[in-house]
């Protein structure tokens, strides 16, 4: 009995030492500013989310979170920088359905492997893709748009860029309906919206947060959203699935990633900080008003979703042309 008690005590002491070491490692992180790479242009949806959440994460962790925009190649340039950074928790990236699941089936050459080169940290949330028309095109419904496009072969639709979830939504919609539309990729939403508002672009698939102010002002007409559910910011706008186009459903998601082999302590500290930040009422309200649906998660959930979506797009790429124009 005495020996059993001694062994139990020794085991508990060893466990305490292990937990103490982990706590010490976690307590030492972060010891310097964290760089949060956003692989898209400044001023867009991702930028708003990164800066809003990043500010609160900085408060939680006691170190600055520096948002750095590195746009290009559908997000591949910025996320490649994350993949090749030291796995010390001081460089993280704003990944998405496009960069971490879709792009391998869009671009013939990828600078990184999304299934092997990242550590999932936390979900950031979801957005909606909106199918909209500008003042140059007078159609009142998706059905009318399809009819118009068939009568005018080569009718163009713009997106914020090749390889984005908006590009995916547009291609899936076009192939499903046989509308025969022409994809025009832009470098971000701002340029495309300028052409849409100016009458130079008739149709656009855009991230809802970027287009929402123009929709509310009555300058852009939303025909549908591509998500499986209606967007809370546009409760009266139907989904494509409701209109009979269930084969064109796209639900964009976003998540925080670090380089592969990041320490469990840094990963957990970052994940908990993002989950806390995204649950704050002032953060939720600000992002929801902009058309974004924020939510955090465990690192494991990010890894599961990434793997699942990658396999889904792998299967889809055998049926639908997803390659870069």
């Amino acid at each position: 009995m005495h020996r059993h008690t001694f062994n139990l005590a020794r085991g508990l002491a060893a466990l305490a030492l292990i937990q103490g070491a982990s706590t010490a490692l976690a307590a030492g992180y972060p010891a310097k500013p964290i760089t949060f790479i956003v692989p898209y242009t400044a001023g867009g949806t991702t930028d708003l989310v990164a800066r809003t959440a990043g500010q609160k994460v900085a408060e939680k962790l006691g170190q600055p979170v520096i948002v750095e925009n590195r746009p290009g190649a559908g997000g591949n340039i910025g996320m490649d920088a994350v993949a090749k950074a030291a796995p010390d928790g001081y460089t993280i990236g704003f990944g998405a359905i496009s960069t971490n699941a879709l792009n391998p089936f869009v671009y013939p050459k990828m600078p990184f492997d999304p299934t092997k080169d990242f550590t999932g940290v936390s979900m950031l949330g979801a957005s909606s893709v909106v199918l909209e028309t500008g003042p140059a095109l007078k159609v009142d419904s998706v059905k009318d748009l399809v009819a118009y496009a068939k009568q005018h072969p080569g009718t163009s639709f713009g997106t914020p860029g090749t390889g984005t979830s908006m590009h995916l939504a547009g291609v899936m919609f076009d192939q499903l309906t046989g509308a025969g539309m022409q994809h025009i990729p832009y470098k971000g939403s701002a340029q495309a919206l300028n052409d849409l508002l100016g009458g130079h672009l008739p149709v656009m698939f855009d991230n809802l947060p970027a287009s929402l102010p123009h929709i509310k002002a009555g300058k852009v007409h939303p025909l549908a959203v591509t998500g499986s559910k209606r967007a809370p910011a546009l409760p009266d706008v139907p989904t494509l699935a409701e209109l009979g186009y269930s084969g064109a459903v796209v639900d964009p998601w976003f998540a925080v990633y670090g380089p592969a082999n990041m320490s469990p302590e840094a990963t957990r500290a970052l994940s908990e900080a993002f989950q806390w930040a995204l649950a704050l009422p002032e953060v939720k309200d600000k992002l929801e008003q902009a058309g974004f649906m924020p939510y955090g998660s465990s690192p494991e959930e990010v890894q599961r979703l990434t793997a699942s979506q990658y396999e889904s797009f792998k299967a889809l790429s055998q049926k639908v042309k997803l390659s870069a124009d």
Side-chain angles (χ1 to χ4, degrees):
M1 189 72 177
H2 174 74
R3 179 179 296 176
H4 174 75
T5 303
F6 173 77
N7 287 338
L8 177 62
R10 187 168 62 179
L12 289 172
L15 180 61
L17 282 172
I18 293 169
Q19 291 177 333
S22 297
T23 302
L25 282 169
Y29 174 86
K32 61 181 182 180
I34 297 164
T35 299
F36 192 7
I37 294 177
V38 176
Y40 306 105
T41 53
T45 305
T46 51
D47 207 43
L48 172 68
V49 177
R51 293 179 190 279
T52 302
Q55 181 182 357
K56 295 300 181 181
V57 169
E59 292 176 12
K60 182 73 170 176
L61 295 179
Q63 288 288 347
V65 173
I66 302 167
V67 175
E68 184 179 311
N69 297 92
R70 292 199 195 180
N76 287 345
I77 291 175
M79 291 308 288
D80 184 41
V82 177
K84 291 177 171 54
D88 54 10
Y90 292 103
T91 301
I92 55 177
F94 197 117
I97 182 177
S98 53
T99 57
N100 290 75
L102 174 61
N103 281 1
F105 310 105
V106 175
Y107 292 88
K109 291 184 179 180
M110 286 288 289
F112 55 81
D113 184 339
T115 66
K116 298 177 181 178
D117 294 343
F118 297 99
T119 298
V121 174
S122 170
M123 294 301 299
L124 282 164
S127 184
S128 293
V129 173
V130 59
L131 166 56
E132 60 197 12
T133 57
L137 188 59
K138 306 297 182 183
V139 296
D140 296 321
S141 67
V142 173
K143 183 179 179 181
D144 290 345
L145 171 62
V146 173
Y148 175 88
K150 287 182 176 180
Q151 291 168 5
H152 301 81
T155 295
S156 57
F157 71 89
T159 71
T162 297
T164 60
S165 54
M166 287 69 72
H167 175 205
L168 172 66
V171 168
M172 290 177 67
F173 174 78
D174 184 60
Q175 294 200 7
L176 179 69
T177 61
M181 300 172 73
Q182 178 68 38
H183 177 222
I184 307 296
Y186 287 79
K187 293 182 178 179
S189 292
Q191 292 181 6
L193 281 167
N194 283 340
D195 276 1
L196 189 72
L197 294 168
H200 308 297
L201 179 70
V203 183
M204 184 174 174
F205 285 82
D206 194 22
N207 248 329
L208 176 56
S211 283
L212 191 58
H214 303 293
I215 292 172
K216 288 184 174 179
K219 297 178 181 178
V220 171
H221 181 48
L223 299 180
V225 292
T226 70
S228 51
K229 297 179 181 178
R230 291 194 179 197
L234 293 178
D236 297 328
V237 176
T239 66
L240 284 176
E242 287 178 61
L243 300 174
Y245 306 101
S246 58
V249 170
V250 176
D251 281 306
W253 49 263
F254 304 88
V256 182
Y257 293 88
N261 302 315
M262 206 161 72
S263 76
E265 293 78 23
T267 302
R268 188 64 57 187
L270 282 165
S271 182
E272 290 175 356
F274 272 99
Q275 290 179 61
W276 172 82
L278 292 164
L280 292 172
E282 62 265 37
V283 171
K284 289 177 69 71
D285 290 346
K286 182 176 183 178
L287 297 183
E288 285 174 355
Q289 286 177 15
F292 188 83
M293 294 160 277
Y295 61 90
S297 79
S298 67
E300 292 76 19
E301 184 175 337
V302 178
Q303 296 291 133
R304 283 195 299 269
L305 178 65
T306 304
S308 171
Q309 289 276 275
Y310 179 89
E311 291 301 322
S312 294
F313 289 130
K314 184 177 181 179
L316 182 66
S317 68
Q318 297 171 4
K319 305 175 184 177
V320 178
K321 180 182 179 294
L322 301 175
S323 60
D325 296 331

